[in-house]
Amino acid sequence: MIDIKKLDRELLSVEKPARYVGSELNSVVKNNNDVNIRFAFAFPDVYEVGMSHTGLHILYHLLNSKDNIWCERVFAPWTDMEEVMRKNYIPLYGLESKDELKEFDFVGFTLQYEMSYTNVLNMLNLADIPLKSKDRTDDMPIVIAGGPCAYNPEPLYEVVDLFTIGESEELILELMDLYEKEKVSGFNKLSFLEKAARIEGVYVPQFYEEMYNDDGTIKGRKILNSNAKEVITKRIIKDLDKSFYPEKSILPYIDVVHDRVVLEVFRGCTRGCRFCQAGMVYRPVREKSTNTLVNQVESLINSTGHDEISLTSLSTGDYSCLPDLTLQLLDKYENKNISISLPSLRLDSMTFDIIERLQEVRKSGLTFAPEAGTQRMRDVINKNLTEEQILGPVETAFNLGWSTVKLYFMIGLPGETMEDVMGIKELSYKVKDKFFQRPKDEIKGNLKINVSASCFVPKPFTPFQWVKQDSMDEFYDKAKSLQKEIKDKKVSFSYHEPKLSYLEAVFARGDRRLSNALIKAWEKGCRFDGWYDVFDFSKWMEAFQETNTDPDFFAKRERELTEVLPWDFIDTGITKKFLISEYNKSIESLTTSDCRQQCYNCGVNHKLIGGACPHVINS
């Protein structure tokens, strides 16, 4: 039992007490005696990041829409709060009730980023819940996990009881129904997991064993329980118009990363960028109707009072009814000084007459993602953007009054040369020239071009899942050489820390043998590894060494196309044949056009739809 008075007193000593108090508008408080299932939605990062995650709000309100379930939130305490909790023996608790986490039936983690894995361990430890599934008894919470990182669940196989693969809105309720039935008849964890394993999209790692070849590659997998499936097929929501979407959104007391109404317009992507895991695993594209979206935004505006609406997806500019939707929203909310933002636009899908009107309410900078500086590299990654398609919209933006531009690139892409790296500088300078090559009387504002480069990380279920990652020395050499060459004061350059990207690659493509190193790193004090002011690379290297783990084996090794991969037992709908074809096309710098125009038989049409994908124009 949490001592509330003691907690309140200690919160005065931490940097942001509002992270830990709950009671926000639109949060849900129920009577514990009136519910049968208590679910803790656990986000393994700070409050501000977690509260900006759309999936949290969807599942939180979905579960709480059921009278028999009470879903609460819990976030990773920042280092100052962790110190207070450990010093004063305050266990991790649910925000709504302030009850200890170990009193809940479920602790459900969303895995958005590989560098949050030590936070998962730390949160369980702060809750006095054993880290390993085998050490948790029947009266302890079931630990589940989902999200994009669950597409390779193996590094956390010892920690998580079950993983949900794919979209969880329907799956999570099926699990809750099963649990309630099991609880009535006398709960047994093993029995529950056996029955859960029969549900499509559920993976129970303890029911499998990984076998290895002498060279360290995977030989195969052995099924240890007759209830376990050989292949786990991802779950998708086929009709988003009929799918649950919250009418309310919790209003934080403090600023969060995205403090606005978030409207999900569609899921999936048709572009086929070869580096992008989300663009592959969230196929096929499924759109919401404009009527559904207009109704949803009205409920959210009325319940929150937000003054900004964000239309989100992997590529919002590809929404087929975008002009109609934005004009409807503008007509309805412009006079209320409510702005609309489109955060996921591609240069070739920008409709400037709409964007110009959007900016009349609140003007901001424009963000473009060419990803690579040369045409050859853009063809390798299948970006399907020419230099003309980049510079043309940029020039239009400058003519319409914009003077601040962000350009996102990647370094370390497969087959990249130093000439390709320097192409980032050349393209950035061409963007600058477009600003100053206009008549002097048309030049307004102080030009600022912010160029950033992330380090390429090969991800599962992409055409680049077999390629090696650059070494840290190669990343630093490329980034610093580029930084040295960019001398224009109008162009600023920054790059992502290669050490973080290296570890991200290790865990993105790792297998079960990483579990010991992960636990050892946490024991050494690693947490908040995605935050560079906390991140300690030396502790990670010590953990790998002490557990006889070779991280280079997972990050810097080229895979054979025939190699068994740690995630091969998961079926996302996309065939390996298609991924291999795209990988081979990348080697020849050949592109594949947007699959709205032509179906390339990636597999999702047959496996998940049962026919042509609904977004294909020529189906």
Side-chain angles (χ1 to χ4, degrees):
M1 180 72 68
I2 299 287
D3 185 335
I4 301 298
K5 290 184 178 179
K6 181 179 181 180
L7 173 63
D8 290 343
R9 184 172 61 251
E10 295 299 332
L11 283 177
L12 296 175
S13 65
V14 302
E15 180 186 4
K16 295 182 180 180
R19 288 169 166 167
Y20 315 105
V21 297
S23 301
E24 308 99 319
L25 181 66
N26 296 329
S27 61
V28 178
V29 176
K30 297 186 179 183
N31 188 326
N32 189 32
N33 297 322
D34 296 335
V35 298
N36 297 325
I37 301 174
R38 301 193 65 184
F39 190 103
F41 190 107
F43 198 97
D45 210 320
V46 291
Y47 176 92
E48 297 94 308
V49 175
M51 285 298 294
S52 301
H53 178 55
T54 305
L56 179 151
H57 294 275
I58 293 175
L59 293 180
Y60 176 86
H61 287 289
L62 170 65
L63 289 169
N64 280 319
S65 70
K66 306 299 180 181
D67 292 337
N68 62 324
I69 304 172
W70 185 9
C71 178
E72 301 186 39
R73 297 159 295 143
V74 59
F75 304 93
W78 188 245
T79 53
D80 57 348
M81 182 60 174
E82 178 185 348
E83 184 179 349
V84 165
M85 294 172 73
R86 293 194 184 279
K87 180 180 178 180
N88 293 277
Y89 306 102
I90 299 173
L92 196 61
Y93 55 86
L95 274 189
E96 281 73 10
S97 67
K98 305 300 186 296
D99 288 340
E100 298 181 32
L101 224 57
K102 64 182 179 182
E103 297 179 16
F104 286 66
D105 298 284
F106 288 90
V107 177
F109 288 95
T110 179
L111 305 176
Q112 298 294 314
Y113 181 34
E114 290 85 354
M115 301 314 295
S116 69
Y117 289 175
T118 51
N119 278 4
V120 172
L121 302 183
N122 202 45
M123 291 172 74
L124 290 174
N125 180 259
L126 282 167
D128 196 25
I129 297 172
L131 299 186
K132 295 185 178 182
S133 173
K134 67 179 183 180
D135 298 327
R136 295 194 287 267
T137 56
D138 289 354
D139 60 345
M140 293 179 178
I142 300 291
V143 177
I144 70 175
C149 292
Y151 283 101
N152 178 19
E154 294 302 87
L156 287 169
Y157 89 103
E158 284 191 292
V159 177
V160 175
D161 292 310
L162 70 84
F163 291 88
T164 59
I165 309 299
E167 297 165 354
S168 297
E169 289 97 324
E170 296 172 347
L171 174 53
I172 197 72
L173 294 182
E174 292 173 22
L175 281 171
M176 297 303 103
D177 288 343
L178 172 63
Y179 180 80
E180 188 166 37
K181 293 174 184 176
E182 290 292 295
K183 196 173 181 180
V184 169
S185 59
F187 182 74
N188 176 271
K189 177 180 176 180
L190 178 60
S191 174
F192 169 74
L193 292 176
E194 288 179 334
K195 292 174 182 175
R198 302 173 196 165
I199 299 174
E200 185 174 285
V202 170
Y203 171 56
V204 182
Q206 71 183 51
F207 293 161
Y208 303 81
E209 180 183 346
E210 218 169 51
M211 299 172 291
Y212 303 96
N213 296 309
D214 291 339
D215 63 358
T217 58
I218 297 173
K219 184 176 182 179
R221 288 167 61 82
K222 183 189 297 184
I223 295 178
L224 305 178
N225 190 294
S226 60
N227 295 280
K229 297 178 180 179
E230 187 173 341
V231 175
I232 310 297
T233 302
K234 79 172 183 182
R235 294 288 292 266
I236 66 165
I237 303 298
K238 291 185 178 180
D239 189 343
L240 290 185
D241 280 333
K242 296 179 181 177
S243 177
F244 177 87
Y245 202 77
E247 296 180 354
K248 297 179 179 180
S249 180
I250 301 171
L251 276 180
Y253 289 128
I254 57 176
D255 289 339
V256 297
V257 177
H258 300 303
D259 196 4
R260 58 202 181 195
V261 165
V262 176
L263 202 60
E264 183 187 35
V265 296
F266 70 87
R267 292 181 186 174
C269 185
T270 59
R271 296 290 181 167
C273 297
R274 292 171 181 141
F275 59 85
C276 182
Q277 184 187 50
M280 295 292 171
V281 301
Y282 289 124
R283 291 186 180 202
V285 163
R286 292 141 291 148
E287 294 189 345
K288 291 182 183 179
S289 68
T290 54
N291 286 339
T292 296
L293 292 166
V294 170
N295 290 334
Q296 287 178 349
V297 78
E298 182 175 10
S299 299
L300 289 165
I301 287 290
N302 290 339
S303 66
T304 63
H306 279 306
D307 61 359
E308 182 180 355
I309 303 165
S310 177
L311 306 182
T312 64
S313 72
L314 291 176
S315 183
T316 300
D318 290 333
Y319 179 56
S320 61
C321 300
L322 184 63
D324 180 41
L325 174 64
T326 51
L327 291 175
Q328 281 195 54
L329 295 177
L330 280 167
D331 290 341
K332 190 168 186 177
Y333 295 110
E334 193 172 21
N335 62 346
K336 299 179 182 179
N337 205 35
I338 295 175
S339 64
I340 300 169
S341 63
L342 305 173
S344 304
L345 291 176
R346 280 175 55 102
L347 293 169
D348 60 345
S349 65
M350 299 184 70
T351 308
F352 273 102
D353 54 344
I354 294 175
I355 295 176
E356 187 176 17
R357 189 174 166 192
L358 293 178
Q359 298 293 309
E360 289 176 3
V361 180
R362 187 177 295 118
K363 198 145 191 163
S364 60
L366 287 176
T367 299
F368 301 138
E371 308 293 1
T374 63
Q375 191 60 52
R376 186 186 75 84
M377 281 311 306
R378 289 194 292 275
D379 290 344
V380 167
I381 66 177
N382 204 48
K383 189 64 180 178
N384 280 319
L385 268 182
T386 64
E387 189 170 286
E388 291 74 22
Q389 288 174 314
I390 296 170
L391 297 178
V394 166
E395 184 176 18
T396 302
F398 288 153
N399 289 336
L400 291 172
W402 273 272
S403 59
T404 300
V405 173
K406 293 180 182 178
L407 299 175
Y408 287 132
F409 295 93
M410 280 189 285
I411 55 175
L413 289 163
E416 181 183 70
T417 66
M418 191 57 79
E419 182 180 350
D420 295 313
V421 175
M422 291 303 147
I424 294 173
K425 171 207 168 185
E426 300 303 324
L427 184 57
S428 302
Y429 277 32
K430 288 177 181 178
V431 169
K432 180 204 72 170
D433 291 342
K434 285 293 180 183
F435 185 85
F436 289 108
Q437 285 172 353
R438 298 172 298 146
K440 287 187 177 180
D441 60 337
E442 295 181 11
I443 297 176
K444 298 178 181 178
N446 184 24
L447 176 66
K448 188 173 184 180
I449 301 174
N450 298 311
V451 178
S452 68
S454 61
C455 299
F456 166 69
V457 177
K459 294 279 187 169
F461 297 108
T462 69
F464 290 154
Q465 64 181 354
W466 294 280
V467 306
K468 69 181 181 67
Q469 188 186 43
D470 273 1
S471 68
M472 285 180 282
D473 287 342
E474 288 172 318
F475 277 131
Y476 280 118
D477 183 43
K478 290 176 179 180
K480 291 180 178 179
S481 296
L482 184 56
Q483 190 172 48
K484 185 178 179 181
E485 288 297 316
I486 295 178
K487 301 175 181 177
D488 196 295
K489 293 183 179 179
K490 297 294 184 182
V491 182
S492 64
F493 174 73
S494 62
Y495 60 90
H496 191 69
E497 172 53 53
K499 292 176 182 177
L500 274 174
S501 299
Y502 171 72
L503 278 180
E504 184 182 344
V506 170
F507 281 93
R509 295 193 297 173
D511 58 35
R512 295 186 167 199
R513 289 168 293 186
L514 285 174
S515 179
N516 289 336
L518 173 64
I519 293 172
K520 178 63 71 173
W522 168 77
E523 289 173 347
K524 287 179 170 292
C526 292
R527 68 255 295 126
F528 287 106
D529 297 298
W531 295 73
Y532 195 64
D533 52 344
V534 180
F535 175 60
D536 191 333
F537 187 67
S538 63
K539 289 179 180 177
W540 274 103
M541 292 301 100
E542 291 171 7
F544 288 131
Q545 185 175 14
E546 292 174 19
T547 56
N548 295 316
T549 305
D550 178 12
D552 288 352
F553 182 82
F554 303 108
K556 292 165 57 177
R557 182 175 60 87
E558 191 91 12
R559 274 77 167 157
E560 297 292 335
L561 295 179
T562 55
E563 181 176 328
V564 177
L565 303 173
W567 51 88
D568 273 348
F569 65 94
I570 294 174
D571 185 0
T572 66
I574 297 178
T575 65
K576 188 173 279 192
K577 179 182 177 181
F578 173 77
L579 295 177
I580 291 173
S581 172
E582 287 295 297
Y583 170 72
N584 288 330
K585 289 172 76 172
S586 77
I587 295 173
E588 300 180 43
S589 300
L590 298 176
T591 61
T592 299
S593 61
D594 188 325
C595 69
R596 285 180 187 265
Q597 306 300 323
Q598 177 184 344
C599 179
Y600 291 93
N601 294 314
C602 70
V604 294
N605 51 338
H606 301 299
K607 293 186 177 184
L608 300 178
I609 301 297
C613 292
H615 61 263
V616 180
I617 296 172
N618 298 320
S619 61

